[in-house]
Amino acid sequence: MVHSAWIVYARIIATHLRSRRRQTILSALGITFGISFYVAMVSFMSGVNEFLEDIMLSATPHVRLYNDVTLDSVTIAQRWFGRSAMVVVYHPKVAERSRAIRNAPEILATLKRQHQEILGISPRVTAQIYYTQGTTEVPGSLVGVDLVEENKLFALSSKITAGSLRAVLTTDDGIMLGGGLADKLNVRVGDRLPVTLPSGTRRLMTVAAIVRFGIAQIDNAQSYTTLKTVQRLLGKDQRYITDIYIKLRDRDDAPRLAALYARLFGCSAEDWQTFNATILVSFTIRNILTYAVSISMLIVAGFGIYNILTMMILEKLKDIAILKAMGFGQRDIRAIVLGQSLALGIAGGVAGLVVGFLMSLGISRVPFRNEFLPGMEYLPVKFSLLYYAVAIVFALGSAAVAGIFPARRAARVDPVSILRG
Amino acid sequence: MTILDARDIVKIFPEPVPFQVLRGISLTIARGEFVSIVGKSGCGKSTLLYVLSTLDTDYRGTLTIADTVVTGKDQDFLAHFRGEHIGFIFQFHFLLQEFTILDNVLLPALKLGKEPPDRVRDRAMGLLERMGIADCAHRPAKQLSGGQQQRAAIARALINQPALVIGDEPTGNLDSENTAAVLDLLSSICRDMGQTVVIVTHDREVAARSDRILTMADGRIIGQERRRP
Ligand SMILES: Nc1ncnc2c1ncn2[C@@H]1O[C@H](COP(=O)(O)OP(=O)(O)OP(=O)(O)O)[C@@H](O)[C@H]1O
Ligand SMILES: [Mg+2]
């Protein structure tokens, strides 16, 4: 007969809440406020995070393979003398080692053939160079890529603000200059631009396009050209590849796969989470902030519910005593008061979801343009059912916590002392 | 057959100074009996009824109702037990003020959940009819007069057809016509349904309608008068 008991509870809950309409609405509004704020903030923050993440990943791969040039003389010595020996190396120096990945063409072939988890691969050759303009020298890098493949992975052509990808491919020694660099050097498409290698080699390039990713480190320092151009500039052959950029089907798999590739191919591998760690930390901090503010608001709302329930109990002591005399046990009274609390939580929470959704919709209609953030026209908002589910759980949770003490208090009311009058 | 058996009930109020209200009350009531309790104001009648109705659990002695020892049982058990076996009419007719008269009468039955809602609804309307307040069934309790509320409280006490009906001056606010109607109803449920009624009253005429009259003084039962076997 649990079923009929809840029908009776619902009737009592409804009648009691209706008899205190104003306070009921006010305390439910507290929850509405907290929940709508949470929904709007978390949707907005996640929208911003996702937007920045997309920008970040528009220029960086999920996994990058490269050849790490570090001082590993100690480990070599250790390998020779054994683990128990103490090895001290005085004045270690980096040997003239190639930055190229060993057996890069074979690795590329294997990845393409055997790895279903990969969406695309782009080999690169990077060279540290100086861009020279008159007497100024700006340090930066020149990246040789398979432009067609790279365009598929990172949508290069959508980020070109002047010139075209085609022009880079067809112009002799044509380069695609980073937007920040173009500003600094004050050059335009069609201009000639001399570059110098650390070795002293100089070459005259032609600016065929200008590209902006919205990431300062890249736009201010990096330019693109074909693989062959850089290989020739460095005096290397076609096997000379310094990095392999990999895009995965599921970017969350990157850390696991990076470790796997490093093991398989004997090179270094880095996942995007690792080389963007600082940005990801800022996402986490933003999230913590959102949750901290929302939870504090819900605590305040919870106090509102606690207050009205406590007041209602004091006012309805007689009713509680009568119900007890008529066969309602402590359990029933507890359920009724908790039910009142949850009813406030549900009503306020659902209203909060609606208001939160409308607020998110409003935010997503606010125009926002910034030359450093290409592709943004309105404030970014992420609409996800998950946030709404979490929000309603929050609403019910805070209502339940707020209801526990009043419910226990009501259940303990001694009917005789009240009915005596 | 015994419906209620109380053994050496002692009740002490500790505040403000320890005061023994009930001084060892023993009494046995048979099924179908209509018992009235009389006595001076303040002699402990209401206190005894609260103990007998299981609402007050803070006493010494042993109480057995419907072959169940209720002394020492936990609150949730007692609440359910009350719903099933005991109907209580308070001295100051307590209704849930925001609920309609009909809802007040129905709630104990819906809570017990033993019968389909339309059946208890029919019975509730029948009781309100006999109490002469059927036309007020859908009005909130707070709009009704004291006498009307008291009659609704009697209907509520009877809705679950409890084996034991306990009333604390159930006719205290009623005129002679309504008093007669209430007494007719109470005697008929004893006679026809085998239910037991125990009431406290100040009214000699009311007491005269019962099977047995117990007289209380100073926390003791000092005499009884059996009017019918
Ligand atoms: N909570 C309490 N604390 C202390 N003493 C109490 C308390 N409740 C009642 N009393 C005392 O117990 C005695 C019996 O009270 P009770 O209400 O049982 O009397 P009664 O016989 O029902 O009187 P009446 O006919 O006026 O209703 C009274 O003297 C009263 O003052
Ligand atoms: Mg009394």
Side-chain angles (χ1 to χ4, degrees):
Chain A
M1 280 300 147
V2 178
H3 192 65
S4 83
W6 273 101
I7 293 173
V8 180
Y9 296 166
R11 233 150 129 175
I12 297 171
I13 290 166
T15 309
H16 277 176
L17 288 180
R18 222 178 295 132
S19 74
R20 284 202 141 279
R21 190 169 307 203
R22 270 170 61 105
Q23 265 120 326
T24 300
I25 291 173
L26 274 179
S27 59
L29 276 181
I31 294 282
T32 303
F33 203 61
I35 292 298
S36 58
F37 180 85
Y38 164 76
V39 167
M41 280 317 279
V42 88
S43 303
F44 180 39
M45 287 302 173
S46 305
V48 171
N49 285 354
E50 201 151 275
F51 186 85
L52 293 178
E53 199 172 293
D54 282 347
I55 286 189
M56 198 167 78
L57 288 173
S58 70
T60 55
H62 294 150
V63 177
R64 169 180 163 240
L65 304 184
Y66 63 104
N67 193 5
D68 203 2
V69 191
T70 49
L71 303 174
D72 57 357
S73 49
V74 175
T75 50
I76 290 173
Q78 200 98 51
R79 218 176 292 152
W80 184 257
F81 293 109
R83 287 216 167 271
S84 53
M86 195 182 83
V87 177
V88 181
V89 179
Y90 292 101
H91 309 302
K93 285 195 181 61
V94 183
E96 254 317 310
R97 273 174 53 184
S98 172
R99 288 191 304 116
I101 299 172
R102 245 166 292 154
N103 302 326
E106 289 74 19
I107 293 175
L108 282 170
T110 312
L111 285 173
K112 270 186 193 139
R113 239 182 311 112
Q114 294 176 357
H115 292 265
Q116 300 299 316
E117 72 277 7
I118 292 177
L119 201 63
I121 306 169
S122 172
R124 320 182 136 211
V125 182
T126 54
Q128 302 307 314
I129 55 165
Y130 292 97
Y131 298 94
T132 350
Q133 175 74 323
T135 51
T136 46
E137 284 201 327
V138 179
S141 59
L142 183 61
V143 184
V145 292
D146 180 338
L147 279 167
V148 178
E149 198 62 32
E150 186 85 358
N151 187 34
K152 271 193 237 156
L153 295 188
F154 300 114
L156 275 182
S157 39
S158 74
K159 282 145 192 146
I160 291 177
T161 54
S164 70
L165 198 66
R166 235 187 125 66
V168 185
L169 283 166
T170 51
T171 313
D172 258 346
D173 286 335
I175 62 168
M176 184 159 72
L177 199 61
L181 270 175
D183 297 344
K184 252 192 267 185
L185 298 165
N186 194 21
V187 292
R188 256 167 292 171
V189 171
D191 287 356
R192 298 233 152 194
L193 182 63
V195 301
T196 318
L197 285 175
S199 61
T201 315
R202 239 175 117 90
R203 202 177 190 94
L204 204 56
M205 313 298 283
T206 306
V207 179
I210 289 172
V211 65
R212 279 181 205 273
F213 286 97
I215 302 171
Q217 295 107 292
I218 294 178
D219 291 346
N220 290 345
Q222 198 165 293
S223 298
Y224 289 83
T225 184
T226 59
L227 268 176
K228 206 173 274 164
T229 307
V230 182
Q231 282 164 347
R232 232 178 20 218
L233 196 62
L234 293 170
K236 305 289 185 183
D237 62 9
Q238 280 187 17
R239 292 182 60 85
Y240 188 87
I241 301 288
T242 57
D243 305 82
I244 297 174
Y245 276 22
I246 299 172
K247 230 171 191 166
L248 301 170
R249 283 181 207 289
D250 181 0
R251 66 189 184 201
D252 295 331
D253 260 352
R256 185 177 65 79
L257 291 171
L260 176 73
Y261 299 152
R263 200 149 33 78
L264 282 179
F265 305 127
C267 58
S268 299
E270 202 174 27
D271 55 75
W272 65 277
Q273 288 96 327
T274 307
F275 53 74
N276 289 305
T278 47
I279 300 179
L280 289 175
V281 166
S282 79
F283 289 1
T284 312
I285 289 173
R286 241 194 310 269
N287 280 337
I288 290 174
L289 215 66
T290 304
Y291 278 82
V293 175
S294 307
I295 287 173
S296 346
M297 291 176 80
L298 283 174
I299 290 174
V300 173
F303 269 107
I305 290 189
Y306 173 86
N307 273 339
I308 192 199
L309 288 177
T310 308
M311 228 153 53
M312 197 129 70
I313 286 162
L314 288 179
E315 213 165 82
K316 303 281 186 217
L317 278 179
K318 226 182 220 184
D319 284 24
I320 294 168
I322 295 167
L323 289 171
K324 284 190 160 186
M326 295 187 328
F328 287 72
Q330 296 190 327
R331 213 179 308 149
D332 303 309
I333 303 293
R334 251 195 319 264
I336 288 168
V337 177
L338 261 184
Q340 278 168 342
S341 185
L342 291 181
L344 292 173
I346 291 173
V350 170
L353 294 188
V354 173
V355 174
F357 174 73
L358 293 177
M359 280 163 71
S360 314
L361 213 59
I363 295 172
S364 74
R365 297 280 162 81
V366 174
F368 188 90
R369 266 173 241 266
N370 186 313
E371 60 167 315
F372 297 109
L373 295 175
M376 185 186 280
E377 289 185 34
Y378 299 97
L379 289 177
V381 174
K382 184 180 180 189
F383 291 93
S384 163
L385 270 183
L386 178 71
Y387 305 145
Y388 294 80
V390 169
I392 204 73
V393 169
F394 272 176
L396 288 180
S398 60
V401 170
I404 285 173
F405 288 102
R408 297 218 324 225
R409 189 163 161 189
R412 277 201 300 263
V413 164
D414 169 30
V416 179
S417 60
I418 288 154
L419 294 175
R420 264 181 194 284
Chain B
M1 251 221 312
T2 305
I3 179 72
L4 181 147
D5 182 69
R7 283 294 118 217
D8 306 316
I9 303 292
V10 172
K11 165 87 189 170
I12 298 170
F13 283 120
E15 302 278 329
V17 286
F19 170 54
Q20 196 169 355
V21 207
L22 303 179
R23 302 164 169 257
I25 287 186
S26 295
L27 94 129
T28 304
I29 295 172
R31 246 176 232 277
E33 230 187 331
F34 185 168
V35 177
S36 53
I37 301 172
V38 297
K40 275 206 215 109
S41 179
C43 70
K45 305 184 295 293
S46 294
T47 308
L48 176 63
L49 289 195
Y50 283 124
V51 170
L52 297 186
S53 67
T54 76
L55 276 174
D56 191 347
T57 52
D58 181 22
Y59 59 87
R60 292 210 307 270
T62 310
L63 180 62
T64 310
I65 298 173
D67 303 320
T68 306
V69 178
V70 293
T71 306
K73 288 284 198 298
D74 73 62
Q75 292 295 330
D76 281 324
F77 174 89
L78 290 177
H80 188 260
F81 187 85
R82 278 195 293 276
E84 195 162 12
H85 299 290
I86 302 174
F88 201 98
I89 308 157
F90 304 104
Q91 186 167 9
F92 313 101
H93 48 82
F94 287 102
L95 296 181
L96 302 171
Q97 295 297 311
E98 268 106 21
F99 289 76
T100 64
I101 293 299
L102 183 61
D103 278 345
N104 266 284
V105 177
L106 282 178
L107 275 182
L110 296 178
K111 168 66 181 77
L112 195 60
K114 279 206 162 162
E115 290 170 279
D118 20 323
R119 213 152 78 246
V120 285
R121 204 185 154 85
D122 288 347
R123 194 162 64 240
M125 284 313 290
L127 285 166
L128 290 176
E129 198 85 53
R130 285 196 72 167
M131 292 287 95
I133 46 171
D135 51 333
C136 311
H138 297 289
R139 284 167 62 187
K142 59 182 167 210
Q143 291 180 8
L144 269 63
S145 75
Q148 287 171 317
Q149 291 202 31
Q150 185 153 37
R151 284 179 277 161
I154 293 168
R156 183 181 63 193
L158 301 181
I159 187 69
N160 283 342
Q161 301 177 304
L164 181 60
V165 178
I166 296 178
D168 199 347
E169 305 203 33
T171 59
N173 276 317
L174 304 181
D175 57 24
S176 55
E177 197 180 322
N178 280 315
T179 300
V182 169
L183 290 174
D184 284 346
L185 179 58
L186 292 181
S187 357
S188 79
I189 63 167
C190 292
R191 201 176 48 241
D192 305 336
M193 316 278 294
Q195 288 171 270
T196 308
V197 176
V198 180
I199 60 167
V200 161
T201 181
H202 279 120
D203 189 336
R204 274 278 147 197
E205 278 179 48
V206 170
R209 297 265 323 244
S210 59
D211 302 334
R212 183 154 57 123
I213 303 173
L214 300 173
T215 308
M216 266 185 84
D218 236 0
R220 288 199 178 87
I221 292 174
I222 55 165
Q224 60 169 314
E225 179 187 347
R226 199 175 284 276
R227 306 184 63 86
R228 272 179 285 274

